[in-house]
C-alpha cells in the first residue's frame, strides 16, 4: 500500500482553506441593516442658521438618490415642539433638506406643539414633496407677540412650488383671538363702527405663484384673517379639510382664491366668521362639491370690480353642498364702476338650513353708505340655480337679484328652487332689479320679478365678457 506523506506546510494551507470556506458559507444569509438618517447623511445634528427658507442649491448635500420617501422630522433639526420656543430656524433647515430630496417629507410630528414666525417657503423643490403636519403648528400668540420685523399680512407662504402636498392629521392653529379684538375690526366701536388703530392681520396660509398643489385632511382653525389663500396658482386640489373659527371672527374667510385656475374643493367642512369660500377675480374652472358651510357668510363670487377695476370669473360649479346658519347662501357681489364679466356659473343640489339671503346677486356691494352711483359694472350672465331647497331666515327675502341699472344680469335660470321660512312667515317677496332669465319650474316662493327674454342692451353687454 502506498503511503502519501504530506509535509507540515501543505497541511497548514489545506486547513486554512477549509476554514475559509466554512466561514463564507456561514455568512451567506446575513443582510446588512439599512442606515439610519444620521448614518446616511440625511440628518443634520446642528441646523444651519438660515434667514429665509431658501430652496436648495447644487452644493447642498441633501439629495436622496433612492425612490423611497425620505422623512425629515423637524425635531431632528432642533425643533423643541414645546409650544413656546421659536422653532423657525429648525423648520427652515428641514425645508431646505426635504425640498432637495426626491419624494421628501417634511414631518411635523404628532407629539409636539411647534411655534414659528412668519416664513416664506420657496421652491422649486424636487418632485413628490410633502409637508406633513401631524402635530400642532402655530404662529406667535397675537399682535403683541408678533416680531416687529415680520410681515403682518401673512404667516406661512408657499412660493413658486410645483407638486407640493400639504397634508396631515394635525392642526394648524392660528391664535387669532387677539387679532380679532383689535379696535379697527368691525363692530369693535359703538353702534357697529370701528375705531382707529393698527389693523393689519395675517392670512394664515398663502400659496403664491404655484401649481399642481394638494391640501388634504388637515384641521385649520382660528386664523387672524383668511385661513387659506391661493393667488396666482393653477391646478389646486383641496379635499377632506376642516376649517373652524367663531361666527363673529372678522374677515376669516375659509378658502379664498384669486387669479387661480383649475381648482377642486371636495368633501370639506368650513365654519367661520366670513365667506366659507370666496372666489376673486381671475378665477376659472372651479369645481366645489360636497362642502358643508356654517356658520359663515356662504359661498361667494366676489367682491369684484373694486376701485373701477376689471374682473373676470368663469366656469364655476358648486354642487351637493350644505349651507347652514349663515348670513348668505350662494352669492355674487360686485362694486359699482367695475368692468369685466362673471359667466357660466352653476349652483346645483344645495341644501339651505336657516340661511339669510339664500340666493343673492348684489351689484351694489359697498362696505359703507357713502358709495356713489356709477354707470359701468361687471356683467353677470349665464347663472343657473338648480335644486336648491331648505329654509331661510325671514329677516331678508330668500332671493335677491339687484343688478346694475346700466348693465343688466342676463340668462339667469331657476329650476326646482324651494325655500321655506325657518321660523315665522315670509316678510318680503323675492326682489329683482334689472334681472333677466327664465324659470324652468315653479319656485317657492314664486318669483314674479324675473324678466323674461333679453334686454335691448344685451349685445352691448357681450363686449364686456372677458
Amino acid at each position: 500500500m502506498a503511503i502519501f506523506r504530506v509535509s507540515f506546510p501543505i497541511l497548514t494551507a489545506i486547513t486554512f482553506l477549509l476554514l475559509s470556506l466554512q466561514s463564507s458559507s456561514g455568512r451567506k444569509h446575513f443582510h446588512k441593516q439599512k442606515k439610519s438618517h444620521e448614518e446616511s447623511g440625511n440628518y443634520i445634528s446642528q441646523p444651519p442658521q438660515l434667514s429665509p427658507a431658501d430652496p436648495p442649491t447644487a452644493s447642498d448635500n441633501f439629495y436622496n438618490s433612492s425612490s423611497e420617501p425620505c422623512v425629515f422630522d423637524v425635531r431632528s433639526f432642533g425643533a423643541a415642539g414645546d409650544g413656546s420656543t421659536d422653532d423657525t430656524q429648525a423648520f427652515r433647515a428641514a425645508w431646505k433638506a426635504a425640498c432637495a430630496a426626491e419624494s421628501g417629507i417634511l414631518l411635523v410630528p404628532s407629539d409636539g406643539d411647534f411655534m414659528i414666525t412668519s416664513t416664506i417657503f420657496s421652491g422649486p423643490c424636487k418632485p413628490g414633496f410633502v409637508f406633513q403636519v401631524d402635530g400642532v403648528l402655530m404662529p406667535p400668540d397675537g399682535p403683541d407677540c408678533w416680531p416687529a420685523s415680520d410681515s403682518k399680512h401673512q404667516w406661512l407662504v408657499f412660493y413658486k412650488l410645483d407638486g407640493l402636498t400639504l397634508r396631515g392629521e394635525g392642526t394648524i392653529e392660528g391664535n387669532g383671538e387677539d387679532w380679532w379684538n383689535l379696535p379697527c375690526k368691525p363692530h369693535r366701536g359703538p353702534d357697529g363702527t370701528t375705531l382707529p388703530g393698527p389693523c393689519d392681520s395675517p392670512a394664515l396660509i398663502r400659496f403664491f405663484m404655484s401649481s399642481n398643489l394638494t391640501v388634504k385632511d388637515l384641521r385649520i382653525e382660528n386664523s387672524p384673517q383668511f385661513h387659506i389663500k391661493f393667488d396666482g396658482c393653477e391646478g389646486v386640489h383641496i379635499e377632506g379639510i376642516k376649517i373652524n373659527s367663531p361666527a363673529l371672527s372678522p374677515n376669516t374667510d375659509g378658502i379664498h382664491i384669486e387669479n387661480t385656475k383649475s381648482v377642486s374643493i371636495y368633501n370639506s367642512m368650513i365654519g367661520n366668521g366670513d365667506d366659507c369660500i370666496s372666489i376673486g377675480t381671475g378665477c376659472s374652472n372651479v369645481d366645489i362639491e360636497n362642502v358643508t358651510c356654517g356658520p359663515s357668510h356662504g359661498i361667494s363670487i366676489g367682491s369684484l370690480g373694486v376701485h373701477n377695476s376689471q374682473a373676470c370669473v368663469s366656469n364655476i360649479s358648486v354642487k351637493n353642498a350644505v349651507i347652514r346658519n349663515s348670513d348668505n347662501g350662494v352669492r355674487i357681489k360686485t362694486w359699482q364702476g367695475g368692468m369685466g364679466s362673471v359667466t357660466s356659473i352653476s349652483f346645483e343640489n344645495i341644501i339651505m338650513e336657516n340661511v339669510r339671503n339664500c340666493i343673492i346677486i348684489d351689484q351694489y356691494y359697498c362696505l359703507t353708505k357713502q358709495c356713489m352711483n356709477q354707470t359701468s359694472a361687471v356683467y353677470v350672465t349665464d347663472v343657473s340655480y338648480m335644486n336648491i331647497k331648505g329654509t331661510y331666515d325671514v329677516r331678508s327675502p330668500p332671493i335677491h337679484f339687484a343688478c346694475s341699472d346700466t348693465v343688466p344680469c342676463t340668462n339667469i335660470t331657476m329650476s326646482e328652487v324651494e325655500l321655506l321660512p325657518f321660523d315665522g312667515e315670509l316678510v318680503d317677496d323675492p326682489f329683482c332689479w334689472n334681472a333677466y332669465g327664465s324659470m324652468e319650474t315653479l319656485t317657492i316662493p314664486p318669483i314674479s320679478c324675473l324678466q323674461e327674454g333679453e334686454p335691448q342692451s344685451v349685445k352691448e353687454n357681450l363686449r364686456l365678457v372677458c
Side-chain angles (χ1 to χ4, degrees):
M1 180 176 64
I3 298 174
F4 295 92
R5 298 181 182 273
V6 181
S7 66
F8 181 77
I10 296 175
L11 181 62
T12 302
I14 293 172
T15 303
F16 179 79
L17 178 61
L18 290 172
L19 288 173
S20 299
L21 291 172
Q22 183 178 5
S23 176
S24 174
S25 175
R27 285 200 307 267
K28 68 181 179 181
H29 294 297
F30 174 76
H31 297 282
K32 190 175 181 180
Q33 294 285 335
K34 289 185 178 179
K35 289 184 179 181
S36 66
H37 290 313
E38 184 172 3
E39 294 170 327
S40 64
N42 287 326
Y43 173 85
I44 299 178
S45 59
Q46 294 296 326
Q49 299 300 307
L50 304 173
S51 48
D54 292 327
T57 62
S59 61
D60 294 319
N61 188 27
F62 297 133
Y63 290 93
N64 176 25
S65 60
S66 73
S67 59
E68 292 294 321
C70 196
V71 178
F72 299 84
D73 187 325
V74 294
R75 284 195 187 277
S76 298
F77 293 81
D82 58 9
S84 57
T85 301
D86 183 354
D87 290 326
T88 307
Q89 294 303 326
F91 270 74
R92 288 173 174 168
W95 173 273
K96 189 171 185 179
C99 177
E102 190 164 337
S103 301
I105 299 175
L106 188 157
L107 176 64
V108 182
S110 60
D111 61 348
D113 296 347
F114 299 86
M115 189 276 288
I116 68 173
T117 60
S118 178
T119 301
I120 299 175
F121 293 110
S122 298
C125 293
K126 288 285 187 174
F129 187 24
V130 174
F131 193 120
Q132 179 145 340
V133 181
D134 288 337
V136 176
L137 181 58
M138 59 188 178
D141 191 7
D144 292 341
C145 299
W146 204 264
S149 59
D150 283 2
S151 169
K152 286 189 169 72
H153 296 285
Q154 52 203 15
W155 176 51
L156 294 185
V157 180
F158 297 96
Y159 175 58
K160 285 192 174 180
L161 292 158
D162 181 46
L164 175 70
T165 295
L166 175 62
R167 71 182 186 196
E169 298 178 353
T171 299
I172 298 179
E173 166 60 53
N175 289 332
E177 184 173 1
D178 288 344
W179 297 96
W180 307 331
N181 292 330
L182 289 173
C184 65
K185 296 295 184 177
H187 313 300
R188 297 302 298 167
D191 301 321
T193 60
T194 60
L195 298 174
C199 203
D200 289 339
S201 300
L204 199 60
I205 304 168
R206 183 188 183 199
F207 289 91
F208 183 48
M209 294 182 65
S210 296
S211 58
N212 303 312
L213 304 167
T214 299
V215 181
K216 61 185 299 186
D217 301 332
L218 281 169
R219 182 179 181 87
I220 306 168
E221 59 187 26
N222 299 321
S223 176
Q225 202 199 48
F226 293 0
H227 284 79
I228 184 166
K229 179 178 182 180
F230 297 86
D231 186 2
C233 298
E234 184 166 3
V236 175
H237 180 76
I238 302 171
E239 183 157 9
I241 68 171
K242 294 181 180 179
I243 293 176
N244 186 53
S245 63
L248 295 180
S249 56
N251 308 121
T252 54
D253 292 41
I255 300 170
H256 175 76
I257 61 175
E258 61 183 76
N259 299 309
T260 295
K261 299 174 174 61
S262 301
V263 179
S264 57
I265 304 173
Y266 298 150
N267 307 314
S268 297
M269 300 183 68
I270 303 170
N272 59 312
D274 210 304
D275 293 335
C276 165
I277 299 171
S278 55
I279 301 169
T281 187
C283 293
S284 61
N285 301 321
V286 178
D287 188 28
I288 301 169
E289 190 165 353
N290 293 327
V291 169
T292 298
C293 294
S296 72
H297 291 184
I299 298 174
S300 293
I301 297 173
S303 59
L304 304 173
V306 65
H307 303 312
N308 305 105
S309 61
Q310 183 179 38
C312 301
V313 175
S314 62
N315 297 320
I316 312 296
S317 172
V318 181
K319 185 184 295 185
N320 302 328
V322 176
I323 303 174
R324 56 169 61 103
N325 302 320
S326 297
D327 284 353
N328 301 285
V330 290
R331 174 168 61 159
I332 299 172
K333 51 181 178 177
T334 73
W335 295 77
Q336 292 189 76
M339 298 172 286
S341 62
V342 176
T343 64
S344 301
I345 313 298
S346 172
F347 301 107
E348 183 178 0
N349 300 337
I350 298 174
I351 296 174
M352 305 280 185
E353 297 178 6
N354 191 26
V355 174
R356 193 173 181 180
N357 302 310
C358 294
I359 297 172
I360 178 170
I361 298 176
D362 180 9
Q363 294 210 271
Y364 299 88
Y365 184 72
C366 180
L367 295 177
T368 69
K369 296 181 180 179
Q370 300 175 353
C371 295
M372 302 294 292
N373 286 333
Q374 300 187 52
T375 55
S376 63
V378 177
Y379 177 38
V380 178
T381 187
D382 297 331
V383 183
S384 66
Y385 302 91
M386 296 176 287
N387 195 31
I388 299 180
K389 299 179 180 180
T391 59
Y392 62 90
D393 185 326
V394 297
R395 289 177 295 171
S396 300
I399 301 169
H400 185 97
F401 295 139
C403 299
S404 167
D405 289 339
T406 55
V407 185
C409 304
T410 64
N411 201 22
I412 297 172
T413 304
M414 310 287 288
S415 176
E416 302 291 339
V417 175
E418 299 178 7
L419 299 168
L420 301 172
F422 177 77
D423 187 20
E425 298 180 358
L426 173 66
V427 177
D428 295 318
D429 292 328
F431 173 83
C432 308
W433 179 258
N434 218 13
Y436 290 79
S438 62
M439 291 181 292
E440 296 183 349
T441 66
L442 294 176
T443 63
I444 301 175
I447 306 173
S448 58
C449 58
L450 186 64
Q451 301 181 64
E452 294 182 357
E454 295 180 343
Q456 293 181 349
S457 59
V458 67
K459 291 183 179 180
E460 295 181 8
N461 291 348
L462 289 176
R463 65 181 173 82
L464 302 175
V465 175
C466 298

